Amino acid sequence: MSSELLHSPLFALPLSCGAFWFGVLLYRRTGTVLLHPIITASLLVFAALYSLDIPYRDYQDASGLLYVLLGPAVVALAVPLKQNLTVIRRAGWPLLVTITIGALLAPAIAVGIALLLGVGKSVLLALSGKSITTPIALAIAEKVHASLSLTAAIVVLTGVVGALAGPPLVRRLGIRDERILGVVLGINAHAVGTARALEISALCGACAALAMGLCGALSALLLPLIIAP
């Protein structure tokens, strides 16, 4: 296989779609959250890039169409939000205040722990966008000159871990309100968490979409001002 083909959309797009398709089939057949399509697809793509010695930046450039489609996919999450708007309105200001505080604390706690552990600036910059959905996180990463590959890895890892650990942890705390679970998943696991919330119920998914959207908007406005390039 020629080097030009390996670094072109003709290879990157089928690789991504095929890996995700296989992940979905495996997830539906096994029914275990440990085999979430994001996990399986990411591992398959990583294995292919590593074995073929393809830099992540080249893969990202070749996958430009998928990154463009991330925006409409995130916007489409407003559909369950609109369908459950009446229920969400009843929570009112407490819900908005909770989401705002959570949006500020999620990256602050991660960066604070990283500072205590003495990690480098590149990791700190990437961690600042850990709780933002991928298209917004990558846009902010470019703005503050953070590593795109590291930012993408941290965002995906955060989403997967949050989607896996969030529901059982919330249940162990004795919380049964699907609105709370949705907010927790939206703040801490962004798009992956919202997809998991939609599997639970439309109301849970709507609250997750609201939390994810507000977190992304606040982060896009504040992080470039707080972090000096």
Side-chain angles (χ1 to χ4, degrees), residues 105-130:
L105 286 180
I109 292 174
V111 171
I113 294 174
L115 281 171
L116 292 175
L117 295 175
V119 303
K121 182 180 178 181
S122 61
V123 178
L124 292 176
L125 290 174
L127 276 173
S128 65
K130 78 171 194 67

Side-chain angles (χ1 to χ4, degrees), residues 62-149:
S63 303
L65 178 61
L66 295 180
Y67 282 92
V68 170
L69 293 175
L70 279 174
V74 172
V75 173
L77 293 174
V79 174
L81 180 59
K82 175 66 170 62
Q83 293 172 339
N84 293 273
L85 192 58
T86 303
V87 179
I88 293 175
R89 277 177 176 171
R90 294 172 187 166
W93 284 105
L95 181 62
L96 293 177
V97 171
T98 300
I99 293 173
T100 302
I101 294 175
L104 296 174
L105 286 180
I109 292 174
V111 171
I113 294 174
L115 281 171
L116 292 175
L117 295 175
V119 303
K121 182 180 178 181
S122 61
V123 178
L124 292 176
L125 290 174
L127 276 173
S128 65
K130 78 171 194 67
S131 293
I132 316 169
T133 189
T134 305
I136 301 176
L138 292 179
I140 294 176
E142 289 184 340
K143 204 79 171 176
V144 301
H145 303 297
S147 168
L148 295 181
S149 57

